Amino acid sequence: GLTSARAAEILARDGPNALTPPKSTPEIIKFLKQMVGGFSILLWVGALLCWIAFGIQIAQGVASAFDNLYLGVVLALVVILTGIFAYYQEAKSTNIMASFSKMIPQQALVIRDGEKKEVPAEQLVVGDMVEIKGGDRIPADIRLIFAQGCKVDNSSLTGESEPQSRSCDFTHENPLETKNIAFYSTTCLEASPFLPGTATGMVINTGDHTIIGRIASLASGVGNEKTPIAIEIEHFVHIVAGVAVSIGVLFFIIAVSMKYKVLDSIIFLIGIIVANVPEGLLATVTVSLSLTAKRMAKKNCLVKNLEAVETLGSTSIICSDKTGTLTQNRMTVAHLWFDDQIYSADTSEEQTTQSFDQSSQSWAALSKIVTLCNRAEFKPGQENVPIMKRVVVGDASETALLKFAEVILGDVMGIRKRNRKLAEIPFNSTNKFQLSIHETEDPNDKRFLLVMKGAPERILERCSTIMINGEEQPLDRERAEAFQTAYMELGGLGERVLGFCHLYLPEDEFPDTYPFDTDSMNFPTSNLCFVGLLSMIDPPRSTVPDAVSKCRSAGIKVIMVTGDHPITAKAIAKSVGIISANSETVEDIAKRLNIPVEQVNKQDARAAVINGMELKDMTTEQLDEILINHSEIVFARTSPQQKLIIVEGCQRQDAVVAVTGDGVNDSPALKKADIGIAMGIAGSDAAKNAADMILLDDNFASIVTGVEEGRLIFDNLKKTIAYTLTKNIAELCPFLIYIIASIPLPIGTITILFIDLGTDIIPSVALAYEKAESDIMNRRPRHKKKDRLVNEQLAVYSYLQIGILQSVGAFLAYFTVYAEQGWLPNTLLGLRVSWEDDYYNDIEDSYGQEWTRYQRTYLQWSGYTAFFVSITIQQVADLIIRKTRRNSLFQQGLLRNKVIWVGIFSQIAIALILCYGLGSVTALNFTPLRVQYWFVAMPYAILIWVYDEIRKLFIRQYPGSWWDKNMYY
Amino acid sequence: MSKEEKKPFSQTMAEWRQFVYNPRSGEFLGRTAKSWGLILLFYLVFYGFLAALFTFTMWVMLQTLSGDIPKYRDRISSPGLMISPKPVTALEFYFNKSDSKSYAEYVSTLKQFLKSYDDSKQSKNIACTAGKLFEQNEDRAVKQACQFNRTKLGSCSGVEDDTFGYAKGTPCVLVKMNRIIGLKPEGEPHIQCSPKEEGKVQITYFPDGGMIDLMYFPYYGKKLHADYLQPLVAVQLAINSSITKEDVTIECKIMGSPNLRNEDDRDKFLGRISFKVQMSE
């Protein structure tokens, strides 16, 4: 090995043996981004205008100048606080990730200075000699110089799920193919308890220079795309900002041309901006998204990026892995063939019994072979663990057989003990069979039992008889054909088939003391008795078929992408419904009609199974054609690199693509996808890093639950935004009327902020808890470019209809307060200038009374409060109508979403506190209000509700009508 | 989409033109003429209905009000003080006693203000019992008003001196108490003014002692009490000629009545007023 000094030298040169984490944006940049994103710019402008106005007024010696200073500070605070909040939310979701990816530092056994040492894998350098044993993760790219029974699981790198043996022979030019190189982050397998694989090798690449490192850097090269919801929110911000700026500028011009002073016009402009911008909305959206993210995490979808929550909802194509995602990722006995009949076994996750007919003597014989001719063993100490969850030492097929036997017979280890094993020939690739000889547990039967299993055709070759109903019968042509049919049928299901046979050795030829020798094979291995076939498959998860059919009704195309054999892939696709029962592939049609594949009209085939080799030779156009023409597609034998091509193909169809992946080399595809989903259990860290979402249980069905949540949040965000936008008009109108009609200001800027950031916050979050109106999984995914979050209908209905209704209601309250104090509406018109004159202390009201400036101001605050209360009351109605967009409230149920009621009570409580609790704090501009003013806008609130019910009724009654097109948002 | 290439400007323009008027579908700003007609009709009906509803609810609200007195008077429980003439900016008098133009504005305001106090205008008003509230029977549709003769304002009445003392350097300022319906002052209310710095100015009150007679109260409102004249107190300031060109701040307060407040932290004009006078020669 190297000397420590030399190692240190190389370490200094090459850097540590670790992957450079993807470059992350500095925290301060992230923070500043939150400060200038969305509406912040607009509010900064507002704050700046406030300070300018303050500066001018202070120079002029205006007494109320400080109001503007405070308002500016408040606006700046609003921006900073919402920025901090958004940053905090963002950071929190990132932290979940950070904790997730944290790992125990890996240790490597290295030979340095001629001694074996444990060092952290990070400190390995090129030229180091390392020792690896079964179960270890390989600490760097190494060239093996000694290997014994060493197998590696390269699945994270190449996607091949079969373990691959490694030796010190150089077998191929390509480093990925040659047998004497083991790659960083792959695992050395613990092949069997008897043969712990060990290897020694020399480090040839470290850190970013390893194959994995190169792929990882490739992944970071794939750019991050904006999530659909980010695009939608940007679109929405543009609309609102556009409205705010244009109304602001328009009224600035109107004000100036109406001979208002420029300074006053600027102050109006501030008011218009503040009224137009839904200050609390972006925070609300963040909260809603993170609530959904939490809900999804409970359903095993861990979302890394909050916005991905919704992306999942707009998904139109899911490219799913097979192994582990659609399937249980373990071999399980699926079918049996004995007594000339095929039996199906239960393959569900939680099996505790098997229900096929077990009365036949043939089954007794078969089960004995299954039990005895098996080297797999349960790890000790798992007596209380369900059989299916126990850890087994042994390969996948043997594990399947062991568990199968344990479920039916129970205590397999005990049976084996009672039937002592005398000799054994393990499976090898030349024999293709496994054989063992046992004593029988029947003390009266002194014969030995020879049991054998293996490739069915090889087993059959060695048999001369076959067991039917417990009787040995000669294996004639008819029987052999029956066997062939069964074998083909099971093979056609994509299952791995094993044949089983046995022979009772005659007592006279093989006495008690007979020395069995496996090398010389001093026992018969032909003319055996064929007992049956067993076939195994990695069965689909039981929840998957349902989830796939849900996807189908939700208009989501599910594409299976697997490295497995096409037949297996197709079989699984059929069993989970990715290929539906009655659809055919081109090959199926060709077979049915007995014509060559080329003559089949491709349009007739709904399904397609594409081989990776075919894919390799395809042009983009051909791939597009396949993706468009076939609705049920399986890609088999694909390399993970091809996944990226498939994803890009789907994205060319304008689809929102979700991709699942676990391997390191899936990471480019995960990054490229609109939403990359990494597997939480099987996934590699690189995949988790590249993904937007982590599926904690690796279960496809969880994706579908996620989709449902994502769609729901999109609908609910729509409702939240509609709710929030509505009152902006009621906040804006006062300013416009104030400028045009010169009435005393109906509502102040500070009061507006109390609505936007006070009473309205909890209700708008409460809408995130709203249940779906109808089965959202029964409609097509939204079109990225057509179905907008904030569409024209939503804006128009909120702004021009409900918003105006609210304003009218609030103005009624305003005029009522003034009129009942002596200021009739006609007196108020054109009053503004003298009303706001600080030295005009004897303005006459409609009844001849004279008011000082402060008395007027106090009345003005009462007006603010009344206006505020009216908006609040009408926002309660607004909140209730926003529960549904199409259904009647009575269909939706008023009590199903209890959080809405929390919202309503909080809204009213906050208004009460502001009005009566803080009514004496002058800076807040609230006054205790007469109780009856709370009810002035009530008729309008009721009208809002009635009108919206009518709107929904017409939409339901006349779908597709003019009303539906213009009123449904 | 970030990936999308920037469209050439001409294409954007063409798209806009297409949006403004699409000759193929006949769409103007995204809607056909029929569609525009329908939507305009809808909003015409919608806003028409809203306007009618608003008018109706306002009308209902106004029906609940009396034309004589406002429903609530709790926002003005105590009257404010105000002066006449009111300088245009702030309450600061600047004038030169030898330049009649510099105070012409004040004089004309005073003249205008006192016109309604002319004897000729007060023929309908009655002479009331001084020192007593003049409460009138409720069923009287038209309330009577008490006479307030200009002569009570002495040298500030403008009868003898039509420059109200401005020419002589003894300017008159009228102090009045805001009208509030139903207000019944207690005690003996009078106006008391004082300069901020002692000795700079001599103050003479008309009527004597700045008394506000109770007989002018209560006020019954513009409609019932059309002829009502509020009592005035004239304050004549004899500014010490040595301090010309200096500001004199004068604060007037209503005193002597327990129910008329004059010390409110927030309302600087509630029962008090302060103004500045700067005279030059």
Side-chain angles (χ1 to χ4, degrees), chain A residues 224-226 231 651 672 784-785 792 796-797 799-802 804-805 808-809 811-812 815-816 819-822 824-825 837-855 858-859 861-862 920-922 927-930 932-933 939-940 943 947 962-963 966-967, chain B residues 1-4 31 34-35 38-39 42-43 46-47 49-50 53-55 57-58 61-62 64-83 86-92 176-182 219-223 230 264 266-270 273:
Chain A
N224 262 331
E225 314 227 341
K226 270 188 194 158
I231 295 169
Q651 284 177 332
K672 179 72 201 169
K784 223 165 29 171
K785 291 183 180 140
E792 184 195 318
V796 165
Y797 183 67
Y799 275 152
L800 295 184
Q801 298 185 26
I802 302 299
I804 296 285
L805 248 167
V808 171
F811 266 106
L812 180 67
F815 282 120
T816 306
E820 294 192 342
Q821 289 289 350
L824 297 181
D837 189 332
D838 284 341
Y839 299 102
Y840 203 163
N841 282 290
D842 54 349
I843 300 185
E844 203 179 307
D845 64 17
S846 313
Y847 293 88
Q849 307 185 97
E850 290 166 320
W851 296 62
T852 67
R853 170 68 173 134
Y854 184 78
Q855 288 165 337
Y858 197 78
L859 177 60
W861 292 344
S862 300
S920 50
V921 183
T922 22
T927 65
L929 206 62
R930 284 200 157 74
Q932 69 263 35
Y933 294 142
Y940 286 87
L943 179 67
Y947 175 63
W962 177 88
W963 185 273
N966 283 283
M967 294 297 195
Chain B
M1 292 281 290
S2 54
K3 236 181 25 165
E4 228 165 79
R31 283 178 183 275
K34 187 181 166 220
S35 171
L38 273 172
I39 203 88
F42 171 80
Y43 279 103
F46 184 81
Y47 290 140
F49 168 75
L50 262 191
L53 183 72
F54 180 67
T55 315
T57 44
M58 283 291 278
M61 184 270 290
L62 292 174
T64 64
L65 303 180
S66 137
D68 304 334
I69 53 163
K71 195 162 181 180
Y72 303 115
R73 284 165 312 195
D74 55 336
R75 290 284 176 265
I76 39 171
S77 49
S78 194
L81 282 196
M82 194 54 193
I83 52 169
K86 174 186 171 293
V88 183
T89 55
L91 295 179
E92 289 165 6
K176 65 190 184 68
M177 199 169 82
N178 281 351
R179 287 193 297 265
I180 289 175
I181 293 175
Y219 173 52
Y220 288 98
K222 192 155 86 175
K223 197 161 159 213
Q230 64 201 109
D264 192 278
R266 297 195 186 130
D267 194 347
K268 301 280 183 253
F269 294 90
L270 197 68
I273 186 168

Side-chain angles (χ1 to χ4, degrees), chain A residues 886 950-961 963-964:
Chain A
R886 179 187 290 275
I950 293 171
R951 177 188 74 90
K952 290 169 188 163
L953 179 71
F954 283 170
I955 287 172
R956 290 195 306 273
Q957 293 282 313
Y958 308 105
S961 63
W963 185 273
D964 186 17

Side-chain angles (χ1 to χ4, degrees), chain B:
Chain B
M1 292 281 290
S2 54
K3 236 181 25 165
E4 228 165 79
E5 290 157 34
K6 284 260 182 248
K7 290 180 204 151
F9 178 70
S10 58
Q11 196 190 334
T12 319
M13 278 309 289
E15 273 171 15
W16 265 101
R17 217 174 302 133
Q18 184 88 351
F19 175 71
V20 173
Y21 181 69
N22 183 342
R24 255 183 312 116
S25 55
E27 282 177 353
F28 174 67
L29 293 177
R31 283 178 183 275
T32 59
K34 187 181 166 220
S35 171
W36 271 113
L38 273 172
I39 203 88
L40 289 178
L41 181 71
F42 171 80
Y43 279 103
L44 198 70
V45 172
F46 184 81
Y47 290 140
F49 168 75
L50 262 191
L53 183 72
F54 180 67
T55 315
F56 173 73
T57 44
M58 283 291 278
W59 177 79
V60 169
M61 184 270 290
L62 292 174
Q63 290 311 298
T64 64
L65 303 180
S66 137
D68 304 334
I69 53 163
K71 195 162 181 180
Y72 303 115
R73 284 165 312 195
D74 55 336
R75 290 284 176 265
I76 39 171
S77 49
S78 194
L81 282 196
M82 194 54 193
I83 52 169
S84 180
K86 174 186 171 293
V88 183
T89 55
L91 295 179
E92 289 165 6
F93 292 87
Y94 296 102
F95 69 97
N96 186 331
K97 69 175 181 184
S98 36
D99 177 8
S100 65
K101 265 192 208 146
S102 67
Y103 52 81
E105 183 73 35
Y106 306 137
V107 171
S108 67
T109 310
L110 279 172
K111 277 185 179 159
Q112 187 64 37
F113 182 79
L114 287 174
K115 233 175 215 167
S116 50
Y117 288 83
D118 278 345
D119 288 347
S120 57
K121 296 259 172 76
Q122 298 210 36
S123 51
K124 275 182 283 173
N125 296 359
I126 55 168
C128 310
T129 330
K132 245 181 82 185
L133 290 172
F134 180 48
E135 289 180 82
Q136 299 176 56
N137 210 332
E138 275 196 22
D139 46 358
R140 270 188 91 102
V142 177
K143 310 288 186 201
Q144 285 181 310
C146 297
Q147 281 183 352
F148 186 96
N149 293 322
R150 273 175 82 161
T151 46
K152 285 186 180 165
L153 300 177
S155 53
C156 286
S157 65
V159 181
E160 302 126 41
D161 178 1
D162 61 0
T163 66
F164 298 90
Y166 284 84
K168 292 182 203 150
T170 54
C172 285
V173 174
L174 297 179
V175 179
K176 65 190 184 68
M177 199 169 82
N178 281 351
R179 287 193 297 265
I180 289 175
I181 293 175
L183 178 75
K184 298 173 189 166
E186 293 158 11
E188 292 187 339
H190 62 275
I191 300 291
Q192 191 177 350
C193 299
S194 54
K196 230 175 184 176
E197 290 96 4
E198 290 289 324
K200 281 188 177 172
V201 72
Q202 231 110 56
I203 298 171
T204 322
Y205 301 94
F206 305 99
D208 276 347
M211 292 301 292
I212 295 175
D213 205 300
L214 290 183
M215 68 181 173
Y216 299 104
F217 300 94
Y219 173 52
Y220 288 98
K222 192 155 86 175
K223 197 161 159 213
L224 296 179
H225 221 162
D227 298 325
Y228 178 81
L229 288 173
Q230 64 201 109
L232 304 173
V233 170
V235 179
Q236 191 159 33
L237 310 167
I239 300 170
N240 199 330
S241 56
S242 64
I243 58 145
T244 51
K245 292 258 173 187
E246 269 178 51
D247 278 350
V248 185
T249 304
I250 289 148
E251 192 180 49
C252 296
K253 278 186 179 176
I254 183 115
M255 306 289 278
S257 174
N259 68 340
L260 301 183
R261 300 173 55 202
N262 60 11
E263 290 285 352
D264 192 278
D265 286 340
R266 297 195 186 130
D267 194 347
K268 301 280 183 253
F269 294 90
L270 197 68
R272 59 180 160 156
I273 186 168
S274 72
F275 55 94
K276 275 185 197 167
V277 180
Q278 194 196 70
M279 186 183 71
S280 50
E281 283 180 62

Side-chain angles (χ1 to χ4, degrees), chain A residues 89-101:
Chain A
Q89 283 290 349
E90 188 85 41
K92 216 167 67 174
S93 63
T94 323
N95 277 346
I96 300 175
M97 257 326 289
S99 66
F100 201 86
S101 61

Side-chain angles (χ1 to χ4, degrees), chain A residues 644-698:
Chain A
L644 186 62
I645 298 172
I646 297 168
V647 171
E648 283 170 338
C650 294
Q651 284 177 332
R652 274 196 299 278
Q653 323 300 321
D654 251 352
V656 175
V657 186
V659 170
T660 69
D662 44 23
V664 175
N665 47 4
D666 285 336
S667 45
L670 289 173
K671 263 257 161 98
K672 179 72 201 169
D674 296 277
I675 178 160
I677 305 168
M679 297 298 138
I681 302 168
S684 60
D685 292 333
K688 285 174 192 166
N689 269 332
D692 305 293
M693 210 181 91
I694 293 166
L695 214 55
L696 293 178
D697 60 355
D698 289 14

